[in-house]
Amino acid sequence: FIDFVHPMDRSTFASQITNGVAIPKVENGTQEKVQTPGNTSTMVCRIRRYRGLATGFGVKERTLIFMPFRLKLALKNVNNEEGEVVYLVIQATPFFSAFKVPNEMVLKPIPFVMRHAADGKLEYIDQESVPYLGYLPQDVIGKDALQLYHPDDLGYLRQVYETIVKEGALSRGAAYRMMTQNGNFVKLETEWSSFINPWSRKLEFVTGKHFIIEGPTNPDVFQTPVEKPARIQEEERNKQEEVKEIIINIMNEVKTKPAEAAKQQMTKRCQDLASFMESLMEEQPKNDDELLRVEIQDTDHSYFPRRFSQERDSMLGGISPHHEYNDSKSSTETPLS
């Protein structure tokens, strides 16, 4: 079967079987030798279409065509003449482009999620994105996510990232463009969120939930991209690199909301401490008696404080530090601790 898998996807396919399906299962602290059937795993890969002989004999001269599929992998025990044999069962579902006509308006898009780190490297992309963008997850993970944005939209996205860093999230805003696998662009709207490390208070990664609203000029997102002239590529790349560096700098250098709050809180504490120290310096020195005791006025109108202190003493079983040993009432002179 692996002969039908695209050469670029063979290592992903092999690792998915060994790590996702056939890895020994750990139960109750012990590792089973053989994986029990029923454990499933999904992946996306390109599979070669069969080169049939309709006319002539030139099979090798025919162009290789690969189609993207979602593979659901599982191990299954099958009883036959040789006894019980473990088979790898593959359920393959083909992917087709979500668009039929150029610049198709999408009324009910299926949202998909992408996540990239603070350095712009893509860490995760939904399999639901495949019919909309044409990329396979293994092709773009680890690549620069900012390269997918249209150069003319980077100014708007710079403001978006500034808001994300300062506020932590951003609701679905204006539409912008993202590149598809065939080199065209789709229009989409995004709900942004982020994760800020609670210890360092720095931005760790940005997550976007994307909604496609308009398809590309070429509706077949799986088609091989057409190479642009070198001069146009160089101009776009220079413009992109300049703004991309600014966005990465924003994600790593601009203070996040928790960091700003902590800074303001620390500043306020320092100001409070300075004010307190100044007030201590300005106070007139008192004699020892005044420093040791605080006079509490005990007039005829002080029924409530006296009643309260008596109730407090009774609740504490007479162990109040303000209780006199030879009197059931609280002392009118309270020693400072």
Side-chain angles (χ1 to χ4, degrees):
F1 178 81
I2 205 166
D3 291 337
F4 287 87
V5 176
H6 195 285
M8 291 174 62
D9 298 333
R10 287 177 184 174
S11 61
T12 306
F13 177 77
S15 64
Q16 195 75 20
I17 294 172
T18 54
N19 298 327
V21 182
I23 187 170
K25 196 173 182 181
V26 177
E27 284 187 357
N28 302 323
T30 59
Q31 194 176 48
E32 297 180 2
K33 291 183 179 179
V34 179
Q35 172 63 23
T36 55
N39 187 30
T40 60
S41 177
T42 59
M43 66 166 294
V44 180
C45 78
R46 287 154 291 203
I47 297 178
R48 174 169 57 84
R49 294 184 66 175
Y50 175 66
R51 294 182 292 180
L53 268 179
T55 56
F57 301 95
V59 176
K60 289 186 177 181
E61 294 174 4
R62 293 175 184 269
T63 305
L64 285 175
I65 299 174
F66 290 87
M67 283 186 63
F69 282 82
R70 176 188 276 121
L71 303 185
K72 187 176 181 181
L73 311 172
L75 293 176
K76 186 177 181 181
N77 289 332
V78 178
N79 290 311
N80 56 19
E81 298 81 8
E82 301 174 4
E84 188 175 81
V85 181
V86 179
Y87 281 87
L88 174 67
V89 180
I90 302 174
Q91 180 184 348
T93 308
F95 278 111
F96 298 101
S97 177
F99 313 106
K100 301 290 186 293
V101 295
N103 305 108
E104 181 179 344
M105 302 304 295
V106 183
L107 300 178
K108 294 181 179 179
I110 297 174
F112 58 90
V113 174
M114 295 172 65
R115 184 181 72 236
H116 68 76
D119 60 359
K121 293 291 186 292
L122 195 66
E123 294 182 338
Y124 172 81
I125 182 170
D126 265 349
Q127 292 183 4
E128 283 73 14
S129 68
V130 175
Y132 289 102
L133 299 179
Y135 299 111
L136 273 60
Q138 60 265 30
D139 290 343
V140 290
I141 287 177
K143 303 290 178 61
D144 188 358
L146 306 182
Q147 296 283 3
L148 299 177
Y149 300 144
H150 194 286
D152 294 341
D153 294 334
L154 288 173
Y156 162 70
L157 289 164
R158 174 184 172 180
Q159 298 174 0
V160 167
Y161 278 96
E162 285 178 349
T163 306
I164 294 169
V165 172
K166 291 177 181 177
E167 301 299 328
L170 182 63
S171 58
R172 193 167 165 177
Y176 63 98
R177 288 162 289 185
M178 183 178 285
M179 187 186 292
T180 57
Q181 192 276 149
N182 64 9
N184 290 176
F185 289 87
V186 292
K187 279 187 180 178
L188 68 163
E189 296 174 351
T190 303
E191 293 176 2
W192 301 94
S193 61
S194 66
F195 175 75
I196 295 168
N197 190 310
W199 287 273
S200 65
R201 299 190 181 92
K202 285 185 173 292
L203 183 78
E204 289 281 329
F205 56 78
V206 174
T207 303
K209 187 178 182 181
H210 304 293
F211 300 82
I212 304 290
I213 60 173
E214 186 180 322
T217 306
N218 179 1
D220 185 4
V221 295
F222 298 113
Q223 195 171 30
T224 305
V226 178
E227 287 291 330
K228 294 181 181 179
R231 184 180 59 82
I232 298 175
Q233 277 189 336
E234 190 66 27
E235 289 175 0
E236 288 184 357
R237 191 179 295 113
N238 292 339
K239 185 177 179 180
Q240 217 168 9
E241 284 298 322
E242 185 179 340
V243 185
K244 193 187 87 171
E245 287 177 9
I246 295 173
I247 292 175
I248 291 177
N249 185 61
I250 288 170
M251 288 191 286
N252 289 279
E253 301 300 330
V254 175
K255 288 192 177 297
T256 59
K257 195 172 184 180
E260 197 63 39
K263 182 183 177 183
Q264 291 175 0
Q265 188 179 18
M266 185 60 68
T267 303
K268 186 177 182 301
R269 287 180 178 177
C270 291
Q271 290 172 348
D272 292 344
L273 182 60
S275 300
F276 177 66
M277 296 299 293
E278 286 176 4
S279 65
L280 286 180
M281 298 296 292
E282 291 171 359
E283 281 186 4
Q284 295 295 325
K286 299 179 180 181
N287 58 40
D288 292 345
D289 293 336
E290 286 178 329
L291 288 171
L292 289 173
R293 297 183 183 279
V294 176
E295 295 295 334
I296 300 176
Q297 298 296 326
D298 189 10
T299 63
D300 293 337
H301 302 289
S302 61
Y303 168 77
F304 174 74
R306 188 162 61 248
R307 172 74 177 275
F308 174 74
S309 65
Q310 290 172 355
E311 290 178 353
R312 180 199 61 204
D313 292 349
S314 64
M315 284 189 291
L316 294 174
I319 61 172
S320 170
H322 309 296
H323 193 280
E324 294 287 346
Y325 291 106
N326 57 357
D327 190 3
S328 63
K329 294 182 179 180
S330 292
S331 171
T332 58
E333 294 181 348
T334 305
L336 291 173
S337 62

